[in-house]
Amino acid sequence: DAGVIQSPRHEVTEMGQEVTLRCKPISGHNSLFWYRQTMMRGLELLIYFNNNVPIDDSGMPEDRFSAKMPNASFSTLKIQPSEPRDSAVYFCASSFLRDASSGANVLTFGAGSRLTVL
Amino acid sequence: AQKITQTQPGMFVQEKEAVTLDCTYDTSDPSYGLFWYKQPSSGEMIFLIYQGSYDQQNATEGRYSLNFQKARKSANLVISASQLGDSAMYFCAMRGGANNLFFGTGTRLTVIP
């Protein structure tokens, strides 16, 4: 099992540029999560998909952020236009959710994408 | 709404000693899950242990155990026989009603040789 694969691992861009982060979840997992980690705010949930459908996007900071999951094996998080305050590590995680009351919905995280916006 | 609180920004422990990392939570959901993750300096998030709200016994995984006190709404992580490789950030997390996962602010553990 290759685990959750994220790309790019590191991205340095200039303010105003579009940034696209990519994630391939573990095969067979039906839930996918995007988190952002900063020193100031810790780990924040941005958006969560179940069976490719966005369930909770209340954590998406603003309209500059968008996320898609066109199929079960791929998701993107896009920032357009990027700003210096978007600099953070962005994690993608996936899990297999059996049902709504399932307890041990253990998330497996990717290695993260470190974004620096100058 | 769910809330996770980790009040220890940093902890030190002597190698081979045990250490307890604190975590308290608040939720109105009758069914919930509590998780601990480790984040070493390399940055990856590693799942350690899980406790369900209806589990009768405290969870254990090797040197990790979870001291679950439901009435006090606490889910402390106990690491026995600390090793130098245990030095890392440790995050407590809770599964929300929508099956997403909310994290605390973390505790940085340093194991002293």
Side-chain angles (χ1 to χ4, degrees):
Chain A
D1 191 341
V4 177
I5 300 173
Q6 291 187 246
S7 64
R9 291 294 313 279
H10 301 275
E11 174 91 5
V12 180
T13 191
E14 292 189 344
M15 183 174 62
Q17 296 298 306
E18 177 179 296
V19 173
T20 299
L21 307 178
R22 298 172 177 80
C23 176
K24 177 178 169 57
I26 290 174
S27 177
H29 281 188
N30 59 1
S31 296
L32 184 139
F33 305 76
W34 282 101
Y35 285 88
R36 176 172 69 175
Q37 186 177 33
T38 61
M39 288 293 292
M40 291 297 294
R41 301 174 69 90
L43 272 159
E44 303 173 275
L45 176 65
L46 299 178
I47 188 168
Y48 152 49
F49 293 85
N50 192 36
N51 293 321
N52 312 337
V53 175
I55 303 299
D56 181 1
D57 66 354
S58 58
M60 295 287 264
E62 48 198 272
D63 292 345
R64 298 184 297 106
F65 285 68
S66 63
K68 293 183 180 180
M69 192 165 187
N71 57 62
S73 59
F74 184 66
S75 176
T76 59
L77 178 67
K78 187 175 292 187
I79 308 172
Q80 167 63 18
S82 58
E83 296 182 3
R85 60 191 168 127
D86 301 331
S87 297
V89 179
Y90 291 81
F91 285 102
C92 175
S94 71
S95 70
F96 177 68
L97 180 63
R98 284 191 301 275
D99 54 60
S101 62
S102 178
N105 183 23
V106 177
L107 273 62
T108 301
F109 282 76
S113 294
R114 182 175 293 276
L115 173 64
T116 303
V117 183
L118 303 175
Chain B
Q2 288 78 27
K3 186 177 180 181
I4 290 279
T5 303
Q6 293 181 256
T7 57
Q8 305 157 315
M11 289 284 287
F12 291 86
V13 64
Q14 203 76 38
E15 192 179 6
K16 300 180 184 177
E17 298 293 313
V19 63
T20 298
L21 306 183
D22 294 343
C23 173
T24 58
Y25 62 91
D26 194 16
T27 180
S28 56
D29 291 325
S31 175
Y32 51 90
L34 295 153
F35 303 75
W36 279 91
Y37 280 80
K38 172 184 178 181
Q39 186 177 40
S41 58
S42 52
E44 70 268 34
M45 295 288 289
I46 302 167
F47 167 71
L48 296 178
I49 195 167
Y50 164 81
Q51 178 85 43
S53 58
Y54 291 120
D55 292 343
Q56 295 297 314
Q57 293 190 324
N58 287 346
T60 60
E61 289 286 348
R63 295 186 299 109
Y64 304 109
S65 60
L66 206 153
N67 184 3
F68 181 49
Q69 298 187 44
K70 197 170 182 177
R72 297 180 61 182
K73 295 190 175 181
S74 72
N76 299 338
L77 176 71
V78 180
I79 305 174
S80 62
S82 296
Q83 303 172 355
L84 295 178
D86 294 335
S87 293
M89 283 289 289
Y90 288 83
F91 292 94
C92 181
M94 179 166 61
R95 173 176 57 85
N99 283 294
N100 43 21
L101 205 62
F102 294 97
F103 285 83
T105 52
T107 297
R108 181 172 297 282
L109 177 67
T110 302
V111 180
I112 303 168

